[in-house]
């Protein structure tokens, strides 16, 4: 006598499966979960941009030959957040209130700049030449900058180091920045005699450049 096939061998009811899928897609709980996942992704992405790395594109020739027009650069936020910035670093900073004749960025605008929101044409990339407490002078008989009275070796820059003569003391909490392409760079020298004197507050620094193109140094 043939045996009886148990219920666990029944062919699945495709109509029931389809109904379950429809219920799932229309479930408020399902869509809340999707929204929560999207929010988490956005928050994580913003956190990475705000506190780890950001990407920028070079718009001008002011940093040639080190960085060329349309080069992509990677900026490392943690060093700026810790205040760990050194002479010789190439940095991206928010130029509002200095290089850009706009009002100083509000706290909300600063946060926006950290996570890549807001206008992009307010950012500049330059090299840190002197930091708070330094003296800087142009130039000695060989056309070199004098940093704290000593000639500064700049293999990346032309000679003479500047066609504009100056002698400055860098206030604490600020930096003096210059482009490597000294003859085609609007930098701290361009702001001499203006409010702020060309000194860039360190809290406007987005971060140092740690790589360009597909590389990270």
């Amino acid at each position: 006598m043939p045996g009886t096939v148990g219920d666990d061998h029944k062919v699945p009811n495709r109509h029931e499966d389809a109904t379950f899928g429809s219920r799932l897609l229309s479930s408020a709980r399902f869509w809340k979960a999707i929204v929560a996942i999207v929010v988490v992704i956005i928050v994580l992405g913003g956190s990475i941009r705000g506190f780890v790395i950001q990407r920028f594109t070079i718009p001008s020739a002011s940093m040639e030959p080190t960085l060329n027009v349309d080069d992509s650069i990677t900026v490392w936020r943690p060093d700026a957040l810790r205040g760990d910035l050194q002479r010789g670093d190439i940095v991206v900073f928010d130029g509002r209130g200095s290089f850009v004749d706009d009002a100083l960025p509000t706290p909300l605008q600063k946060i926006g700049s950290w996570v890549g929101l807001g206008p992009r044409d307010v950012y500049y990339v330059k090299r840190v030449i002197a930091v708070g407490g330094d003296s800087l002078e142009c130039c000695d008989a060989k056309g070199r900058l004098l940093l704290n009275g000593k000639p500064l070796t700049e293999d990346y820059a032309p000679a003479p180091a500047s066609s504009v003569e100056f002698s400055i003391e860098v206030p604490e909490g600020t930096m003096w920045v210059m482009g490597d392409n000294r003859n085609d760079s609007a930098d701290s020298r361009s702001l001499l005699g203006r409010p702020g004197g060309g000194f860039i507050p360190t809290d406007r620094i987005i971060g140092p450049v740690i790589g360009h193109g597909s590389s990270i140094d």
Side-chain angles (χ1 to χ4, degrees):
M1 181 176 179
T4 304
V5 177
D7 290 343
D8 57 336
H9 290 282
K10 283 185 178 180
V11 176
N13 188 323
R14 297 187 179 277
H15 175 71
E16 288 179 359
D17 289 349
T19 302
F20 174 76
S22 299
R23 287 175 183 169
L24 178 63
L25 291 175
S26 62
S27 167
R29 182 177 297 175
F30 171 79
W31 288 110
K32 286 180 180 178
I34 293 298
V35 170
I37 292 170
V38 171
V39 169
V40 168
I41 292 172
I42 292 173
V43 170
L44 286 176
S47 297
I48 291 172
R49 294 194 61 161
F51 301 103
V52 184
I53 62 172
Q54 285 197 41
R55 297 280 288 175
F56 293 88
T57 301
I58 302 298
S60 74
S62 70
M63 283 299 295
E64 290 181 347
T66 308
L67 299 173
N68 297 309
V69 177
D70 294 331
D71 275 355
S72 294
I73 57 174
T74 302
V75 172
W76 183 247
R77 282 287 293 148
D79 284 353
L81 293 172
R82 292 195 304 264
D84 185 17
L85 299 167
Q86 310 293 328
R87 304 181 194 91
D89 284 347
I90 298 174
V91 297
V92 172
F93 60 92
D94 187 333
R96 282 175 288 193
S98 56
F99 281 52
V100 181
D101 288 330
D102 288 352
L104 298 178
T106 64
L108 186 59
Q109 287 173 324
K110 286 183 181 180
I111 294 173
S113 69
W114 294 348
V115 297
L117 300 177
R120 303 292 288 179
D121 59 355
V122 299
Y123 300 111
Y124 289 77
V125 56
K126 304 293 177 186
R127 189 182 295 273
V128 177
I129 304 300
V131 299
D134 286 341
S135 64
L136 188 68
E137 182 181 351
C138 173
C139 289
D140 68 4
K142 294 184 179 180
R144 298 172 297 185
L145 297 177
L146 293 172
L147 178 65
N148 299 322
K150 297 180 180 179
L152 185 62
T153 300
E154 297 183 282
D155 296 333
Y156 45 80
S162 175
S163 59
V164 177
E165 294 186 358
F166 59 87
S167 179
I168 53 97
E169 300 280 342
V170 183
E172 292 294 339
T174 69
M175 295 182 167
W176 178 271
V177 298
M178 298 171 69
D180 288 358
N181 188 359
R182 298 290 162 78
N183 297 320
D184 188 17
S185 174
D187 49 41
S188 288
R189 297 170 297 170
S190 306
L191 303 177
L192 287 167
R194 296 179 57 182
F199 304 112
I200 307 304
T202 54
D203 65 1
R204 309 280 169 74
I205 306 295
I206 303 301
V209 174
I210 59 170
H212 65 283
S214 59
S215 67
I216 295 182
D217 300 332

